[in-house]
Amino acid sequence: MIPLVVALAAAPGCVPSHVVGPLRHEQDEREELVKRARSSGASMEVLNAVVPPLTPAEEEQVEEQTDSCRASYLWKNGLTWTGGALVGIAAASTIAGAFATGKSDTTGMIAFGISAGTLAALGTIFQVVAGIIQVDFADRGCVVR
């Protein structure tokens, strides 16, 4: 139970604050354009016609989208690192099993091979799921600044 509490407490610190949703990204880009347009003397009417401000309904969705993007990013990274670690552990256990069992103990070799293969398969599945999350992350317009 304690590891779960520690993980939940540490998770918000692992979510990068530079991951934003598409509307927040659009809003940030517009603010930059407004700043540049003002310094060059362009009028706000022209800028509002070219790059209109967010509607009130869109402004309400900004934080929701950003929170969703950050959650996806956290899941993607968690699954990628966990999958990579499992594949690494599988490789290490295969090597250690080859040395530990010797040439005469086929039962030990089979046991190490099955456990290592299972870890590698599970790690690969985690990384595939992380890739699917990454595609969804990009398709929704989430941005890492």
Side-chain angles (χ1 to χ4, degrees):
M1 182 66 176
I2 292 175
L4 178 63
V5 172
V6 171
L8 289 175
C14 296
V15 178
S17 60
H18 54 275
V19 174
V20 296
L23 289 175
R24 169 72 68 199
H25 181 65
E26 184 179 322
Q27 191 176 32
D28 293 345
E29 286 183 339
R30 183 180 191 284
E31 288 171 7
E32 185 64 31
L33 285 172
V34 166
K35 198 182 329 177
R36 291 180 66 201
R38 284 186 183 160
S39 66
S40 69
S43 70
M44 283 303 293
E45 293 80 25
V46 171
L47 188 59
N48 284 337
V50 174
V51 185
L54 296 178
T55 65
E58 288 174 329
E59 286 181 6
E60 291 176 8
Q61 294 178 343
V62 168
E63 288 306 314
E64 181 181 319
Q65 282 184 353
T66 297
D67 290 344
S68 174
C69 288
R70 288 179 180 170
S72 294
Y73 191 80
L74 180 63
W75 272 105
K76 175 194 72 82
N77 282 349
L79 290 170
T80 299
W81 283 98
T82 302
L86 289 175
V87 170
I89 291 168
S93 69
T94 301
I95 294 168
F99 285 113
T101 59
K103 294 185 180 197
S104 61
D105 184 12
T106 58
T107 305
M109 286 183 197
I110 291 171
F112 272 108
I114 290 173
S115 63
T118 303
L119 280 177
L122 186 61
T124 303
I125 290 169
F126 279 3
Q127 290 186 329
V128 167
V129 171
I132 292 168
I133 292 172
Q134 172 62 32
V135 169
D136 179 56
F137 179 85
D139 286 348
R140 288 186 296 139
C142 299
V143 178
V144 179
R145 296 190 255 171

